[in-house]
Amino acid sequence: MPSTLYQDYPPDLTQGEEEYLLSNLKDWCIAHGIAVRPPPSFVSKGQDPSGVLATTAPVTLFPSLFPRSCFDEAHAIQTTYNELYAAIARDEEWLYGIVKELVGIDDFTAKLWEVHEAVKKEGYVQVGLAGPTYRIEFLRYQALTLGLFRSDYMVHLDPSDSNASPEIKQVEFNTIASSFGGLSGEVSQLHNVLSKIRAYPQSAKRIITKSNMPVSESASNLAAGLAAAHHAYGEPQISRETCVLFIVQDPERNVFDQRHLEWNLQKQDIRTFRLPFHRTLIDTRLDFKRKLVYTPPHAPATAYEVTTVYFRAGYSPDDYPTPEAWAARLHLERSNAIKCPSILTQLAGCKKVQQVLATPNSLHLERFLGTKEKIDRVRATFAPIYPLDSSEAGLEAKKLATEPETAQRYVLKPQREGGGNNIYRMAIPKFLKSEPEENWPAYILMEMIEPPAQKNAIFRNGEVQKGGVICELGIYGACLWRNELEGSGTKSEVLKNTQAGYLLRTKGDQSEEGGVAAGFGAIDSVCLV
Ligand code: ADP
Ligand code: MG
Ligand code: MG
């Protein structure tokens, strides 16, 4: 990676050029649904009484430079990552070994586990598929599970070696509500269009070329995952129509991202509905075979059998303000619908699992992945991560985290999703001082990945912000698997396992968080170098 390339990019725009680029960008974004609803504060002031307003989602003006070798490797290993997390989600015993460390100190994880336990005790349900008579089987496992995953990376360049090649290091692995797959493809199209209409200066034409700007196919690929689950569900009760149910937050600003997936499903004649999580117990019921039946409030005469429940809510404690919310989660988990994800799959994505997998000299990857090649390639993406417990590594990590000089190389993460939950660098020692030491094992300590410096411009809330940026690449994965009883154990079959497109998110280099929805980052696309 010649560093001058990074220094000279992106090309400067004259005022006229910037105006031309922005006028195209703004219209293209709205016309193609790269949009978000206004913030609740805006709505509560009565400024959008009919709920019709939307604004451009934060996007970058230019595609960011990204090493081609890193991009290719991240794609190449995604199916192995899918395989790994599907295997973890199936290995209840191994997962419990991790969850039990958290149960006394992390209420949210404990509650999720309780839901799983309650359903297991009763037996997961699977209605016998073919045949005139229905047979209900009670299983120890969910029969079919869908994972729509996203593995996130940053580029790491060894600062002590000027000849080092860039490598990807994993930030985290998401197993629930992995967002922006709907908008990402549109943003990569946007940058391609801006290049085509020569909104970028001619000085950059050798870098910003079509062959360097792959379009992300994430919306159609994620929808294909949902469609595969929908079709694998089997036959509905005669006379019932079927649907895929999106469980959503309410209000949801990022609705268009989700709509892109719905529209892709509708093209395939699959019905989709959006169900605010808090309405679950009002609008759905379980029939005597524990099939999930959804009655749309706008058309109460038609009941739909839900084949697949797709969670875009339910990942954060804020989604469970009342005991009814937990009852709703239990209700969905008990149902015969395919869950994306199941509780076990959600828990497989907790930060603690990532830390345990990254334990040096451990054999966890060997447990889940067949070949040495797969294991080595996955392991090569791990950044150092430590527990904060009483193990030898944990005691060492506690020292690192409590001294300001060493703490500044780390990020402290609780078992949470959705952005805005981490504690960074110098803030870690003070934070830990305020937290009783018996709670520290609920966190993991991770070395900060320091990607190469580069610049870009972000269009956010109608303003252009220029400066140093940090990019995070996400690779989506779609994985559908079936568990079957075999003798006293179970066997499993992976029905679908694909890489499902990419997301590039870019944030100002002064910001520690990168979440677009949380208000820190922008959606970007890659310009491969
Ligand atoms: P969440 O599940 O809330 O998205 P993440 O682990 O992705 O949690 O952390 C949120 C953000 O913090 C990331 O998008 C990234 O910008 C930053 N971050 C997290 N871990 C690291 C790391 N090891 N190095 C650099 N930045 C990190
Ligand atoms: Mg993240
Ligand atoms: Mg996450």
Side-chain angles (χ1 to χ4, degrees), residues 127-429:
V127 176
L129 300 181
T133 49
Y134 281 85
R135 198 158 49 94
I136 304 181
E137 293 175 37
F138 290 102
L139 306 180
R140 283 195 301 135
Y141 296 89
Q142 302 272 357
L144 282 161
T145 306
L146 176 68
L148 293 184
F149 300 140
R150 200 186 68 219
S151 187
D152 291 336
Y153 308 92
M154 284 181 181
V155 171
H156 169 76
L157 201 54
D158 185 347
S160 62
D161 178 358
S162 56
N163 292 321
S165 333
E167 299 174 285
I168 41 166
K169 291 292 171 197
Q170 187 179 55
V171 174
E172 64 152 345
F173 191 88
N174 295 290
T175 59
I176 183 165
S178 310
S179 58
F180 293 108
L183 301 189
S184 172
E186 301 298 332
V187 175
S188 54
Q189 296 276 15
L190 162 73
H191 289 150
N192 269 281
V193 165
L194 292 175
S195 163
K196 210 168 179 173
I197 62 168
R198 303 209 191 145
Y200 298 134
Q202 287 302 290
S203 60
K205 75 172 183 213
R206 270 199 208 86
I207 304 168
I208 309 182
T209 63
K210 198 167 188 300
S211 59
N212 292 340
M213 288 196 288
V215 166
S216 173
E217 305 289 347
S218 43
S220 58
N221 287 340
L222 293 173
L226 290 165
H230 179 78
H231 294 305
Y233 175 85
E235 291 304 310
Q237 190 89 286
I238 302 152
S239 85
R240 258 194 216 141
E241 293 195 49
T242 55
C243 74
V244 172
L245 200 55
F246 284 44
I247 308 290
V248 298
Q249 295 179 333
D250 182 27
E252 170 60 85
R253 292 192 65 198
N254 194 26
V255 57
F256 301 104
D257 179 45
Q258 302 167 359
R259 287 290 195 193
H260 282 291
L261 302 191
E262 285 191 68
W263 295 327
N264 263 286
L265 287 167
Q266 288 162 13
K267 268 191 224 157
Q268 304 170 52
D269 291 325
I270 297 173
R271 292 281 333 235
T272 60
F273 292 102
R274 300 171 58 75
L275 175 66
F277 187 36
H278 62 82
R279 286 196 60 94
T280 301
L281 296 175
I282 305 166
D283 296 338
T284 72
R285 65 181 174 85
L286 298 182
D287 75 4
F288 69 104
K289 289 167 187 152
R290 282 208 254 155
K291 291 187 162 205
L292 184 64
V293 180
Y294 171 68
T295 308
H298 69 275
T302 320
Y304 290 82
E305 184 163 330
V306 180
T307 63
T308 309
V309 176
Y310 175 42
F311 285 95
R312 291 296 294 258
Y315 56 81
S316 151
D318 299 344
D319 292 330
Y320 301 83
T322 60
E324 287 74 50
W326 284 106
R329 186 66 193 266
L330 175 65
H331 169 86
L332 295 171
E333 191 74 3
R334 286 181 73 227
S335 82
N336 187 50
I338 298 171
K339 269 71 74 184
C340 176
S342 64
I343 296 262
L344 288 182
T345 309
Q346 177 176 352
L347 286 168
C350 73
K351 309 273 186 303
K352 186 73 192 164
V353 165
Q354 191 192 0
Q355 174 259 303
V356 169
L357 292 176
T359 309
N361 306 318
S362 68
L363 291 175
H364 300 296
L365 289 180
E366 281 75 0
R367 180 183 179 107
F368 298 115
L369 293 175
T371 69
K372 185 169 180 316
E373 196 226 333
K374 286 182 185 177
I375 293 165
D376 289 347
R377 280 171 88 171
V378 164
R379 191 166 277 145
T381 66
F382 291 166
I385 316 179
Y386 308 100
L388 281 181
D389 57 16
S390 52
S391 67
E392 204 178 310
L395 296 177
E396 194 56 36
K398 284 182 184 181
K399 273 195 221 149
L400 294 170
T402 45
E403 290 296 328
E405 306 86 81
T406 44
Q408 52 126 351
R409 285 190 286 125
Y410 293 92
V411 46
L412 185 72
K413 303 190 187 182
Q415 310 304 311
R416 291 290 174 273
E417 290 303 323
N421 300 301
N422 298 340
I423 298 103
Y424 295 89
R425 303 187 192 265
M426 300 299 262
I428 299 173

